[in-house]
Amino acid sequence: MTGDSGIQWTSIDAPKSIPPRWRWIGFLVALAVVGGLVAFALIEGDKIVRGIASDVVRSGVTSALELPEGQEVDVELGDGLLIFQAVTGSIDSVDVRIPGMPFGAATGTLLLTVEGVALDPSAPVDILTARVELDSDNLSRYAGNLSSVPLNSVTIAGGAVGIGAVIADQQVAVSLAPSVSGGTVAFTPVGVSAAGVATTVEAVMASPLASLAGPMLTSSGFCAAELLPAALTLSDAAVVGEQLVITATGTDVSLSGLGSKGTCEAPAA
């Protein structure tokens, strides 16, 4: 087409509109990209918050339990995004593992499970469970509390604590079942064997060997409460695998008061 001025004009068709279906696809793609960026930001932000929270818990436990500098303290925070939990003012659950923890005459692993941990350090936690794990080598340091005679072996296996001693030139083995009584871990004889021949505690105590074997079957146990925070109540003692596991629990426990130890009642005269 030529105008009066001699300029050549060419007509161009107007662009066609984008079909509605393609507009929806573009919207969904954009939404997915934005959602991915938000998720990435939340995950990365949660990693930062977890690192800070772990350091705070580790420092608080080290101070409360008066642990020596350099003591290993492993902290594991519960599942779920910690950022969202922090908005509520508390963390759902925290697990703390302290290997090589002094436990009176022995050394064991202390496991703390804490539920409802407030962000305010001065606020109490909802539930605190402490578990102490002792292997046979460390339990043997309490040999004098397991029997009234000198022992030549202490083992943990088959769901029981085993002790051995030589009585009247015979190797005697006794199986002990752990339990709790007040703040004390008690040990009750449940099986006896002499020279490899199994018998019962009742049969031994009714035999002429009662005066010799009796002291081996007498156990004073040991006070675990004085080795654990006073805010916790001794609740269980059991053999788990090859370890003696002592459990204590408490509610509305202040972490800052964990350094105060409990006591046991004096035995009746």
Side-chain angles (χ1 to χ4, degrees), residues 156-182:
I156 301 177
V161 173
I163 57 174
V166 175
I167 298 178
D169 297 327
Q170 297 291 328
Q171 180 67 35
V172 178
V174 177
S175 296
L176 304 174
S179 61
V180 296
S181 177

Side-chain angles (χ1 to χ4, degrees), residues 13-180:
D13 295 335
K16 297 181 179 180
S17 61
I18 300 175
R21 182 182 64 177
W22 291 106
R23 287 201 299 268
W24 274 108
I25 291 176
F27 173 74
L28 292 176
V29 170
L31 186 62
V33 171
V34 172
L37 291 174
V38 171
F40 176 78
L42 285 175
I43 292 173
E44 291 304 309
D46 194 66
K47 289 180 180 179
I48 296 174
V49 172
R50 282 179 175 271
I52 295 173
S54 295
D55 290 341
V56 170
V57 171
R58 187 178 296 106
S59 176
V61 169
T62 299
S63 176
L65 295 178
E66 301 176 350
L67 300 177
E69 184 178 353
Q71 171 70 54
E72 181 180 351
V73 178
D74 301 323
V75 178
E76 182 176 343
L77 304 176
D79 297 331
L81 286 174
L82 205 64
I83 290 179
F84 293 153
Q85 296 180 39
V87 172
T88 67
S90 66
I91 301 173
D92 292 344
S93 65
V94 177
D95 292 319
V96 179
R97 179 178 180 273
I98 308 174
M101 178 75 179
F103 191 73
T107 300
T109 297
L110 175 62
L111 304 172
L112 299 176
T113 300
V114 192
E115 299 179 27
V117 184
L119 297 180
D120 180 359
S122 63
V125 301
D126 292 344
I127 304 173
L128 174 61
T129 302
R131 297 194 344 154
V132 177
E133 299 178 342
L134 299 175
D135 59 23
S136 57
D137 288 340
N138 279 283
L139 183 59
S140 66
R141 299 177 186 179
Y142 284 99
N145 301 88
L146 301 177
S147 176
S148 297
V149 302
L151 303 178
N152 58 19
S153 68
V154 174
T155 60
I156 301 177
V161 173
I163 57 174
V166 175
I167 298 178
D169 297 327
Q170 297 291 328
Q171 180 67 35
V172 178
V174 177
S175 296
L176 304 174
S179 61
V180 296

